[in-house]
Amino acid sequence: MDISRDCGLSEVPDGWRTTDTAVYGWVLEQGRLDEPAVAAGLGLPEEEVREALARLIASRLVRRDPQDPVQGFAVSPDVARAELAAPVRSRIRQVEEELDRAQRELDRFSVEYLRHAKRGNGQFRLIANMLEVRVALTQASERCTEEVLSSQPGGGSRVVEAMGEALARDRAILERGVRMRTLYHHTARFNGPSQAYVAAASEFGAQYRTAHELFGRLIVFDRELAFIPLNDGSRGAVAISEPSVASYLADVFEQTWTHATPFADAASQGLGEVAQEIDRTILRLLAAGLKDEAIARRLGMSLRTARRHIADIMEQLGAESRFQAGVAAVQRGLLDAEELLAPAAPGPDPAGPDPAGPDSAGADAAGA
């Protein structure tokens, strides 16, 4: 709903011209709206005078005499402002009354909802669906005063249409002086929309780094409130306000951030360097016995892409089994023996609350 448009405020120009001021002063003194007379009196083209009068009349600063269109008068800006404001204030009151009525009606369901929500204990609140997750993340971002930390597994699934909205939310957070840091998988460097988003948000002060593996989705506000995904396969989340747990999760983020690489598109860093980091990780996970699906999740890439990487690596090493690939990688100096023998730590499913819909931390950072 555009109240300003409904009530005529959109008719007031965003910027006045010198001609407008001159015509307003002439009408104020002469009490006439005769365009040829105004043009002659000010030494201006009639077309410019006609356009200036149209703007002044739309803004309520000048009035025509209904009995004689060439006669008229100018009023003070206070009078024009009051006339424009009256219908706006009336509409605002109407909207507020409608909101109050809706709130009273919805409050009837509060008791039932709170009873259902007691599955958590206040400091661990279960949020069952994505719509409520988005609302909770938006509210948290609006209250945030210091920093937003976000881990966003994946890297090739950004929704281009939603990025403008997400960028606006992130910009609003950053312009309040809130620091914003986000972790992505290395694969985000190959994704054009992600590259564009990071470049735009970085202009406002956001910081981005990438890693070959991430611990899962996480967003932490001011080290006081954290969101992690539910493990039931849904798009729900757990909101954690217990101080020790929220701080611990922030420390987990910090450890990964310390070892992560500042975001750069793959071409800027060098395709070979990025590809080597990804291939080294795939080799280690293959040697540890992880299946293709698990490797894809750990690296934030599609199953098809992961299988293509695996096939290429097996072919280059001349290996027929995954363990043979690991041994061959050690022999060629691509892996350390310790990496070959070390089991891979179980990686969490990256699905869960996406704090910005496509990409933002204020939403990736504020609004799933």
Side-chain angles (χ1 to χ4, degrees):
M1 180 187 301
D2 190 340
I3 293 178
S4 66
R5 184 173 297 277
D6 293 343
C7 299
L9 289 181
S10 60
E11 299 296 333
V12 179
D14 290 333
W16 292 99
R17 304 178 185 177
T18 304
T19 304
D20 300 329
T21 308
V23 172
Y24 174 77
W26 195 94
V27 175
L28 196 63
E29 292 179 2
Q30 303 297 327
R32 299 178 61 198
L33 277 67
D34 182 359
E35 293 170 6
V38 178
L42 295 175
L44 295 171
E46 284 192 31
E47 182 62 27
E48 290 188 21
V49 170
R50 185 176 302 111
E51 293 174 355
L53 283 172
R55 288 190 291 271
L56 292 166
I57 290 171
S59 301
R60 310 298 196 274
L61 286 166
V62 167
R63 318 295 172 89
R64 286 192 185 275
D65 186 332
Q67 304 300 322
D68 185 358
V70 302
Q71 301 297 320
F73 58 94
V75 302
S76 75
D78 288 339
V79 171
R81 185 184 304 112
E83 185 173 320
L84 289 168
V88 176
R89 288 174 176 151
S90 176
R91 183 63 180 133
I92 289 173
R93 285 194 296 272
Q94 181 183 348
V95 172
E96 288 177 340
E97 290 172 359
E98 292 173 359
L99 286 172
D100 288 342
R101 180 194 61 77
Q103 183 65 53
R104 289 194 299 272
E105 293 299 320
L106 293 173
D107 279 346
R108 299 181 182 185
F109 299 91
S110 295
V111 173
E112 182 65 18
Y113 179 81
L114 291 174
R115 182 186 67 79
H116 177 75
K118 286 182 178 178
R119 290 182 298 162
N121 66 359
Q123 293 181 320
F124 297 87
R125 182 165 65 95
L126 305 185
I127 308 175
N129 60 77
M130 195 58 185
L131 178 59
E132 290 188 69
V133 171
R134 294 168 75 95
V135 171
L137 287 169
T138 299
Q139 291 174 342
S141 69
E142 291 172 349
R143 292 192 294 266
C144 183
T145 60
E146 295 181 7
E147 185 173 52
V148 181
L149 308 176
S150 179
S151 170
Q152 296 288 333
S157 58
R158 302 293 176 247
V159 181
V160 178
E161 292 78 6
M163 284 190 171
E165 180 182 351
L167 183 60
R169 289 195 299 263
D170 284 356
R171 180 176 183 175
I173 294 172
L174 292 162
E175 288 182 344
R176 298 203 318 261
V178 176
R179 187 183 181 196
M180 183 180 297
R181 289 186 286 157
T182 301
L183 286 167
Y184 288 136
H185 272 123
H186 280 330
T187 47
R189 300 173 183 229
F190 294 91
N191 182 258
S194 292
Q195 294 169 10
Y197 189 92
V198 168
S202 297
E203 290 292 322
F204 304 126
Q207 299 179 56
Y208 295 87
R209 292 187 181 183
T210 65
H212 56 277
E213 290 186 85
L214 290 177
F215 45 81
R217 289 201 185 278
L218 169 69
I219 182 168
V220 185
F221 296 91
D222 291 341
R223 302 182 70 93
E224 296 176 351
L225 176 61
F227 290 84
I228 61 173
L230 290 175
N231 64 356
D232 59 2
S234 71
R235 295 290 286 173
V238 182
I240 303 170
S241 56
E242 202 289 319
S244 296
V245 177
S247 180
Y248 177 84
L249 292 171
D251 288 341
V252 171
F253 175 94
E254 293 288 1
Q255 290 179 17
T256 305
W257 179 267
T258 299
H259 299 289
T261 306
F263 191 103
D265 62 75
S268 296
Q269 184 185 1
L271 290 170
E273 181 180 345
V274 176
Q276 286 176 10
E277 290 185 42
I278 293 174
D279 287 351
R280 181 185 179 90
T281 303
I282 291 177
L283 277 169
R284 183 170 55 79
L285 297 178
L286 283 173
L290 268 68
K291 296 185 180 298
D292 295 354
E293 293 82 357
I295 292 173
R297 284 198 303 271
R298 293 282 284 270
L299 297 180
M301 60 177 61
S302 69
L303 179 59
R304 180 178 178 181
T305 300
R307 283 176 171 165
R308 187 171 66 248
H309 276 284
I310 293 169
D312 289 344
I313 290 171
M314 298 281 284
E315 181 179 354
Q316 291 173 17
L317 294 175
E320 296 181 0
S321 71
R322 296 173 181 231
F323 188 77
Q324 280 183 352
V327 172
V330 172
Q331 291 173 342
R332 297 190 187 187
L334 301 176
L335 281 182
D336 297 331
E338 291 79 6
E339 292 180 292
L340 176 63
L341 298 175
D349 189 332
D354 186 341
D359 213 54
S360 124
D364 273 347

